[in-house]
Amino acid sequence: MTRQNVFQQLVKLKNRMRDLTRFQVVIDLIMIYAFLRTVLSGTTVNLFGTVLTQNSAMVVTFLIAIIDLCFTQIRKNYRNAGRNLIGHLGGQLSEDEILVIRQFERY
């Protein structure tokens, strides 16, 4: 792999991590909403426009939490792949490469 290809892959990975982070924030908010609606409601819960029993609503909330954990693992794998790509860059880094690496480390 050439240095330019490694850099392009790192930029793509950084963009994926940014988008995944934003999506995960949305999933977190949905999970918090579902949990609060479930806990604060009585025996029936109106969750996402559907009337559910409290047990069913907790199962839905649990499934949303599992999805959130899966996204966390995907981000972890992206971070590991990015560190590997950064290791391949090595040597003298240009200003663009340094900027992308700093942005990558933020996610």
Side-chain angles (χ1 to χ4, degrees):
M1 226 181 207
T2 66
R3 186 176 185 88
Q4 185 64 25
N5 287 343
V6 171
F7 180 69
Q8 288 174 352
Q9 291 297 323
L10 185 61
V11 169
K12 288 179 185 178
L13 192 61
K14 175 194 67 91
N15 291 337
R16 280 190 218 144
M17 283 188 67
R18 181 192 63 217
D19 294 341
L20 187 62
T21 301
R22 290 177 181 167
F23 187 68
Q24 192 170 11
V25 167
V26 172
I27 295 293
D28 286 339
L29 291 174
I30 290 171
M31 183 178 61
I32 291 169
Y33 167 79
F35 180 74
L36 289 177
R37 284 295 288 225
T38 303
V39 170
L40 297 177
S41 295
T43 57
T44 61
V45 180
N46 187 1
L47 193 61
F48 308 119
T50 305
V51 178
L52 303 168
T53 64
Q54 193 170 24
N55 289 338
S56 297
M58 274 308 242
V59 169
V60 170
T61 304
F62 180 72
L63 292 174
I64 293 170
I66 288 175
I67 292 169
D68 189 46
L69 287 174
C70 291
F71 283 126
T72 300
Q73 281 302 113
I74 292 170
R75 282 183 49 210
K76 182 180 175 184
N77 290 338
Y78 281 172
R79 262 195 304 275
N80 290 337
R83 288 183 186 130
N84 190 14
L85 289 172
I86 291 169
H88 285 303
L89 284 176
Q92 216 38 326
L93 299 175
S94 69
E95 288 185 29
D96 288 337
E97 292 170 341
I98 292 172
L99 179 65
V100 168
I101 289 172
R102 285 186 183 151
Q103 290 173 349
F104 176 81
E105 290 173 350
R106 241 182 23 197
Y107 300 112

